[in-house]
Amino acid sequence: MSGKYTISREDWSLHRKGEIDRERHREKVKEAIKKNLADVVSEESIILSDGRKVVKVPIRSLDEYHFRFDTGKRKHAGQGDGNSKEGDLLGSDQKKADGPGKSPGAGDEPGVDYYEAEITIDELAQLIFEDLGLPNLQQKKKPELASEAFEFKDVRKMGISSNIDRKRTIMEAMKRNALKGGIKGTYNITRDDLRFKTWDVTFKYESSAVVLAMMDTSGSMGPWEKYIARSFFFWMVRFLRTKYQNVQIVFLAHHVEARETTEEEFFTKGASGGTRCSSVYKLALEIIEERYSPQDYNIYAFHFSDGDNLSSDNERCVRYVNELLKICNLVGYGEIEGPYYHASTLRNAFKKLSDNNFTSIGIKDKSDVYPALKKFFHNRNESKA
Amino acid sequence: MHPTLELKALDEATEKIDAIARNFNLDFYDMYFEICPADIIYSFGAYGMPTRFSHWTFGKAYHKMKTQYDYNLSRIYEMVINSDPCYAFLLEGNSLVQNKMVIAHVLAHNDFFKNNHYFKRTTKKMVESMSTAANRIREYEFKYGRDRVESFLDSAIAVQEHVDPQHHISAVAKKTEGHEEHGCSVGKCSHGQCSNKHSQGASPSPYDDLWDLDQKECAGKCGGGEQREKKFPRQPEKDLLLFMMEHARDLEEWQRDILSIIREEMLYFWPQMQTKVMNEGWATYWHMRIIRELDLTGDEAVEFAKMHAGVIHPSRYTLNPYLLGLKIFEDIEKRWDNPSDEERAKFDRKGNEGKSKIFEVRESENDISFIRNYLTRELIDDLDLYLYKKVGHEWKVVDKDWEKVRDGLVRNLYNCGYPHIVVENGDFGKRGEIYLKHIHEGMDLDVFYLEKTLPHVFKIWGRPVHMETAVDGKEVLFSYNGEKVSKKFI
């Protein structure tokens, strides 16, 4: 006897529910990240990502909360290979130190279950930069060098078949069919319907920017302070790259004397001794003079210190910063405030500066990096831009 | 293979498998198979049902499953739905042997849906019900705004597990209880009277002493207090969703409807969660036996063996329900076919009853009773099952003793692995606040999650929420007043 059964194959191409809700989830992830930018911006896994394109951002607000047992406290059941015994080690949480999700058997291992969104650094940068603007954009002298660029902005009836414009071609076929009173949905595409995307050759002028990253490396600047500076410069450079084709960074470290260093040295090596900030400003001015003519370059100077400057030096600092302001698009000073209060002499001294292009920022905490970025790059002359 | 040829081959195979299954006395609803592309199968997997309403949490699940599929980490070969006719979706690109195994597997699931006692009350028209519910929710989105509906769904989903699958039983009990309560409130209730009432009409049963336990409690309360407080609800209510749906004061109609949708869908899925081990074990048991009856070529046999091995692959961190269920069914069959002398003497087992026994088990048990009654010491040793726990930063095996392992398993399955929470008081402090109580069975709640879930209850109930539980042996009351969570020791 044979029962009743049916086998069929339907057209599912219009079933989009999964994709639609997936998109909604993605939107929520983005919203959550945006709300959380202050924490995300200085997330170590991103700043120290070593060029990885995709980073993981923990998002607790998208956990699906419900009443549940504490996985860490309860007993779970598992199955061995035949000779397991009490005390056998199945896994360890400490492995998480070298990157979440890397522990063996991740996925079915209990415990690690908060949601991590994967996001490319570019997407993240877009979110961060949404509110940032470049103040004081000056027209620099057009550099001699212009590069050829291709832009697809035209549509023609002839072309290479790899450049076919599907949407327009279908539209043409629909139009033609409709004119003839043709049946809906059946398009025999004729040669006449074909549309091709075509390019134009344009010239792109190189615009360049240079970031003068200055940092106090005196004894009081520990790894944490350097990390803060590092996350700030990380995003600053990325942001400027969205605006200029060519962004260079010059690293200047100083204690009593200033010198140019490599990036690695800049963020890792510490020196000791006192602090004389004017030394680094002086060096910055010299380097600009030598290499980066303000006519060709947009110059951004930013200095991190803990503010413990020799008081006798403050006067000179203000003078140099005033000079920098004449040639730079922006000059910033970030003071990393230690756990205990001390009246900073340098930041007070800078209060005299009234120039619109000077920003001074106090940073106490990892989460202050994002507000600092926002303050530094807020659109001062939006109306003009 | 050309699609139409493929369909034809599949059709022939299905006819054979169907006949073999019937020969084995499997008893199933008519089948409706459909071949779907991967993203469709995965969306069904994420939603639990193709026609279910739309929500970002399903999108999240879909994304996760799809990604795993895209990276070739896991694969769902089929998805089957408890309905009449029974729907099953086959993954496009399955080979013919894969489909044969899947079809055999699905027929056994179908038999289980049709015959297992716990599925008796599930509607067989859920595909349609969910579809109309989804339409209603979409209308609400148009009417009241997507964000409002979404955030209310967020809250309803946060407490969706707190339903009472036995509600039909307690509902009957409540009716009888009504009279009794009436008697109590007049203050005439005494122990004698109450027990009298129970024995009236019914002949004495072996459970009378259990009924009496209830009475004692009742008598104590009634006799002791002159101004006895009117309790609301009268008995602690496990069905939090139903309770809030009926009694939350400020809910709008569409919100009550959403609660009822979530509740109905949870009640529909509950038996599947309750019988996961059995259901998968049963399907695996039968796909093996059915495939053995088919004439497979050498290559096909190897392919089947590979796939089957993948299905019953053990895991160190969780129990594979396919494997555990299969082993228990096979063990039952063996022990009822060839009982030991002791079993013959003690339990009057005659032998050669294996098949009829496993059919009886598939009809009358759920995972808890299945494991408690049939997971033997020998099986636990043979399968090398253990309990493990977090010790410091490490996950370690902590129990190998067979009784502890079995009981640990049962404990984790209790209430489908969700905490048992009841409504103690729906008018706490006479301020209309809701007081929930976690019935603590030795496992603490995740406090972080608890604190994040209370606001969802608040959102539905509309007034402050309290939850009594115990943390590290101390009784604690968590409260949320609309602004912040506070906790105090009781």
Side-chain angles (χ1 to χ4, degrees):
Chain A
M1 63 182 175
S2 133
K4 275 193 212 157
Y5 60 88
T6 325
I7 305 174
S8 73
R9 185 197 287 267
E10 306 272 321
D11 180 10
W12 286 101
S13 54
L14 288 178
H15 188 100
R16 305 272 307 149
K17 189 156 59 179
E19 286 298 330
I20 290 167
D21 282 342
R22 184 193 203 180
E23 199 45 48
R24 174 69 190 130
H25 174 238
R26 240 183 244 148
E27 260 172 49
K28 287 191 72 99
V29 168
K30 274 202 175 163
E31 279 168 28
I33 294 178
K34 261 201 98 163
K35 271 192 212 146
N36 220 2
L37 276 184
D39 290 332
V40 175
V41 158
S42 39
E43 177 75 37
E44 265 158 79
S45 62
I46 298 167
I47 306 300
L48 308 175
S49 62
D50 300 330
R52 261 186 298 135
K53 290 270 165 54
V54 178
V55 289
K56 285 187 173 176
V57 183
I59 305 176
R60 300 227 64 161
S61 69
L62 285 185
D63 278 1
E64 291 156 57
Y65 293 110
H66 55 141
F67 297 123
R68 66 168 195 187
F69 293 114
D70 187 334
T71 33
K73 282 188 188 170
R74 72 190 294 196
K75 290 179 183 173
H76 310 261
Q79 184 171 4
D81 50 11
N83 34 31
S84 69
K85 52 191 183 307
E86 270 175 46
D88 279 3
L89 184 64
L90 296 178
S92 160
D93 270 3
Q94 273 158 333
K95 285 248 168 65
K96 269 178 21 193
D98 51 58
K102 275 190 190 161
S103 45
D108 54 2
E109 192 173 352
V112 202
D113 59 356
Y114 57 86
Y115 186 70
E116 281 181 327
E118 286 200 342
I119 184 166
T120 63
I121 295 214
D122 290 343
E123 267 179 290
L124 189 59
Q126 239 178 15
L127 287 174
I128 294 172
F129 301 154
E130 231 164 56
D131 304 328
L132 303 187
L134 267 190
N136 194 26
L137 262 185
Q138 287 151 354
Q139 193 65 40
K140 298 289 167 186
K141 185 185 84 182
K142 269 189 189 156
E144 317 284 300
L145 253 178
S147 59
E148 274 189 5
F150 302 102
E151 264 183 276
F152 281 90
K153 42 172 164 183
D154 203 4
V155 179
R156 292 180 196 169
K157 288 181 119 181
M158 306 288 265
I160 310 170
S161 50
S162 61
N163 286 341
I164 198 157
D165 186 331
R166 294 190 190 81
K167 199 168 167 188
R168 284 204 174 81
T169 304
I170 299 278
M171 292 290 276
E172 288 304 320
M174 282 166 87
K175 268 195 258 174
R176 190 175 44 75
N177 273 301
L179 274 174
K180 285 198 298 194
I183 316 145
K184 262 190 228 159
T186 53
Y187 319 111
N188 51 329
I189 296 167
T190 66
R191 211 176 169 67
D192 209 35
D193 297 330
L194 296 182
R195 292 294 178 276
F196 299 88
K197 294 179 208 166
T198 320
W199 68 90
D200 276 343
V201 179
T202 57
F203 290 96
K204 279 214 168 135
Y205 294 101
E206 296 283 341
S207 58
S208 311
V210 61
V211 175
L212 296 166
M214 300 179 274
M215 185 155 60
D216 183 352
T217 50
S218 61
S220 47
M221 294 284 284
W224 185 82
E225 283 83 1
K226 291 207 177 87
Y227 176 73
I228 294 291
R230 185 171 198 164
S231 26
F232 184 86
F233 286 126
F234 178 88
W235 292 111
M236 179 173 178
V237 168
R238 263 167 198 280
F239 176 61
L240 290 173
R241 284 208 174 115
T242 63
K243 304 284 175 182
Y244 302 108
Q245 264 95 51
N246 176 17
V247 180
Q248 296 175 30
I249 324 172
V250 180
F251 295 99
L252 306 175
H254 76 95
H255 35 97
V256 187
E257 278 168 27
R259 64 195 180 89
E260 193 174 345
T261 68
T262 62
E263 178 174 357
E264 209 204 316
E265 255 184 279
F266 186 76
F267 288 118
T268 49
K269 276 209 178 137
S272 54
T275 312
R276 194 185 290 140
C277 295
S278 64
S279 62
V280 78
Y281 300 143
K282 187 157 169 276
L283 180 64
L285 285 166
E286 283 166 13
I287 287 178
I288 294 171
E289 173 92 2
E290 267 172 44
R291 290 188 250 162
Y292 303 105
S293 147
Q295 283 191 309
D296 298 328
Y297 285 94
N298 296 281
I299 304 172
Y300 295 86
F302 206 94
H303 178 217
F304 272 105
S305 162
D306 56 5
D308 230 352
N309 199 28
L310 282 171
S311 358
S312 61
D313 186 50
N314 287 348
E315 200 54 40
R316 214 173 314 156
C317 286
V318 175
R319 208 171 61 234
Y320 282 136
V321 167
N322 263 322
E323 273 181 50
L324 277 171
L325 279 165
K326 282 182 204 148
I327 48 177
C328 296
N329 297 43
L330 278 180
V331 178
Y333 170 67
E335 190 162 290
I336 300 167
E337 295 163 14
Y340 36 89
Y341 177 84
H342 60 129
S344 146
T345 50
L346 191 55
R347 206 174 163 202
N348 270 333
F350 282 147
K351 280 195 181 143
K352 288 183 225 156
L353 291 164
S354 56
D355 196 300
N356 212 7
N357 295 334
F358 179 79
T359 314
S360 128
I361 297 157
I363 294 180
K364 278 199 201 76
D365 198 274
K366 261 167 101 175
S367 57
D368 287 337
V369 173
Y370 180 56
L373 273 168
K374 270 174 110 170
K375 193 168 174 200
F376 192 55
F377 287 116
H378 82 274
N379 243 333
R380 265 163 262 230
N381 39 2
E382 239 170 353
S383 48
K384 273 189 253 169
Chain B
M1 207 189 297
H2 189 274
T4 43
L5 281 178
E6 198 186 322
L7 271 186
K8 194 163 169 274
L10 203 53
D11 199 55
E12 282 164 11
T14 310
E15 193 178 336
K16 267 188 209 144
I17 292 168
D18 184 281
I20 297 168
R22 279 170 206 276
N23 244 342
F24 278 130
N25 288 327
L26 291 182
D27 163 33
F28 36 86
Y29 300 118
D30 291 347
M31 274 304 316
Y32 186 88
F33 290 105
E34 186 143 346
I35 300 166
C36 298
D39 48 338
I40 298 301
I41 293 255
Y42 284 87
S43 75
F44 294 171
Y47 289 75
M49 176 75 87
T51 51
R52 211 167 178 196
F53 65 90
S54 174
H55 191 252
W56 62 269
T57 48
F58 299 136
K60 178 176 160 186
Y62 167 70
H63 173 72
K64 199 170 160 192
M65 293 169 112
K66 178 90 171 24
T67 312
Q68 288 190 335
Y69 171 78
D70 288 346
Y71 287 119
N72 215 0
L73 291 173
S74 77
R75 206 175 147 102
I76 311 180
Y77 295 98
E78 46 78 22
M79 146 121 201
V80 56
I81 287 171
N82 165 28
S83 63
D84 180 12
C86 180
Y87 287 85
F89 301 92
L90 310 175
L91 180 64
E92 191 178 77
N94 279 353
S95 69
L96 185 59
V97 194
Q98 284 174 336
N99 271 334
K100 284 178 182 169
M101 169 169 146
V102 167
I103 288 167
H105 192 85
V106 162
L107 285 181
H109 276 315
N110 184 348
D111 165 88
F112 197 89
F113 291 146
K114 189 173 173 188
N115 293 288
N116 181 272
H117 171 75
Y118 292 87
F119 285 87
K120 281 282 182 287
R121 302 187 65 87
T122 56
T123 161
K124 299 299 168 193
K125 299 278 169 239
M126 205 52 180
V127 182
E128 293 80 4
S129 304
M130 283 204 187
S131 161
T132 52
N135 282 335
R136 290 210 303 280
I137 290 180
R138 196 160 32 241
E139 272 170 35
Y140 297 149
E141 282 179 355
F142 277 115
K143 241 176 164 169
Y144 306 105
R146 190 183 72 167
D147 289 349
R148 261 185 95 193
V149 173
E150 184 181 75
S151 95
F152 192 78
L153 275 171
D154 288 352
S155 297
I157 289 173
V159 291
Q160 64 178 345
E161 300 91 5
H162 302 285
V163 298
D164 184 4
Q166 268 96 50
H167 197 265
H168 53 280
I169 302 173
S170 52
V172 175
K174 264 178 204 152
K175 270 184 204 153
T176 23
E177 192 182 285
H179 301 284
E180 185 188 310
E181 285 285 342
H182 181 71
C184 279
S185 59
V186 202
K188 282 182 188 162
C189 173
S190 74
H191 185 90
Q193 230 174 343
C194 282
S195 54
N196 196 12
K197 205 167 127 214
H198 273 292
S199 40
Q200 114 197 129
S203 55
S205 81
Y207 303 113
D208 275 353
D209 52 339
L210 282 178
W211 293 116
D212 281 351
L213 284 178
D214 261 358
Q215 292 318 312
K216 266 179 205 149
E217 204 179 316
C218 165
K221 274 182 198 159
C222 299
E226 288 92 56
Q227 16 82 280
R228 190 182 145 273
E229 271 185 49
K230 213 176 175 189
K231 279 195 84 189
F232 171 62
R234 292 190 197 282
Q235 294 283 317
E237 172 64 68
K238 182 176 183 295
D239 207 321
L240 177 60
L241 275 181
L242 181 68
F243 185 81
M244 293 202 289
M245 185 176 104
E246 286 178 346
H247 302 294
R249 303 184 203 191
D250 305 321
L251 289 182
E252 293 173 37
E253 268 319 298
W254 65 271
Q255 293 173 316
R256 287 184 213 279
D257 187 30
I258 283 184
L259 290 181
S260 88
I261 291 170
I262 298 285
R263 177 171 177 270
E264 284 303 323
E265 297 187 357
M266 180 49 67
L267 288 173
Y268 166 80
F269 285 120
W270 195 270
Q272 288 176 44
M273 303 192 290
Q274 218 177 356
T275 57
K276 175 94 179 155
V277 175
M278 282 180 80
N279 205 341
E280 295 301 357
W282 184 250
T284 308
Y285 175 94
W286 284 111
H287 81 229
M288 283 172 74
R289 274 139 192 96
I290 291 171
I291 294 291
R292 276 179 207 159
E293 300 295 313
L294 295 173
D295 295 322
L296 297 189
T297 66
D299 284 351
E300 282 182 324
V302 170
E303 199 184 340
F304 164 73
K306 267 191 192 161
M307 190 172 158
H308 177 72
V311 168
I312 60 165
H313 188 74
S315 156
R316 296 162 69 201
Y317 302 112
T318 60
L319 284 187
N320 178 344
Y322 296 81
L323 176 60
L324 182 64
L326 169 71
K327 291 291 176 189
I328 298 179
F329 272 119
E330 286 182 338
D331 186 60
I332 296 172
E333 186 181 19
K334 196 180 78 196
R335 288 191 295 132
W336 262 260
D337 271 344
N338 304 300
S340 65
D341 293 338
E342 190 190 348
E343 284 167 336
R344 279 176 201 274
K346 252 191 187 164
F347 307 118
D348 194 26
R349 262 178 230 166
K350 298 179 179 67
N352 284 328
E353 291 172 330
K355 275 276 163 358
S356 66
K357 180 65 186 174
I358 60 172
F359 274 91
E360 175 202 314
V361 167
R362 79 97 155 74
E363 190 169 334
S364 54
E365 312 280 357
N366 63 22
D367 280 352
I368 291 185
S369 59
F370 184 59
I371 285 172
R372 200 171 43 207
N373 295 337
Y374 301 106
L375 182 59
T376 61
R377 176 181 196 156
E378 290 72 25
L379 261 181
I380 288 176
D381 289 345
D382 188 39
L383 293 172
D384 194 19
L385 305 185
Y386 51 70
L387 296 182
Y388 68 97
K389 191 175 187 302
K390 196 169 175 187
V391 186
H393 282 287
E394 295 167 341
W395 295 93
K396 276 190 169 163
V397 174
V398 289
D399 267 323
K400 284 284 295 169
D401 177 71
W402 76 277
E403 277 182 302
K404 282 190 184 150
V405 172
R406 182 196 62 192
D407 294 348
L409 265 171
V410 167
R411 196 176 307 125
N412 286 349
L413 288 168
Y414 173 67
N415 201 30
C416 291
Y418 300 112
H420 185 164
I421 286 164
V422 294
V423 183
E424 269 292 292
N425 194 341
D427 190 18
F428 184 62
K430 297 219 172 16
R431 293 184 299 268
E433 301 175 1
I434 193 167
Y435 189 102
L436 308 176
K437 185 175 179 184
H438 165 221
I439 311 290
H440 200 286
E441 274 131 354
M443 293 188 284
D444 281 3
L445 295 182
D446 182 328
V447 171
F448 181 81
Y449 263 57
L450 167 61
E451 292 183 346
K452 291 285 190 181
T453 311
L454 288 180
H456 285 299
V457 184
F458 178 88
K459 175 142 200 211
I460 302 171
W461 187 248
R463 278 151 209 266
V465 182
H466 308 272
M467 166 93 128
E468 181 186 325
T469 180
V471 179
D472 294 326
K474 289 196 194 98
E475 301 205 322
V476 191
L477 184 68
F478 288 85
S479 303
Y480 179 75
N481 60 4
E483 280 163 16
K484 59 179 195 339
V485 178
S486 59
K487 71 173 188 182
K488 63 171 190 216
F489 294 103
I490 328 175

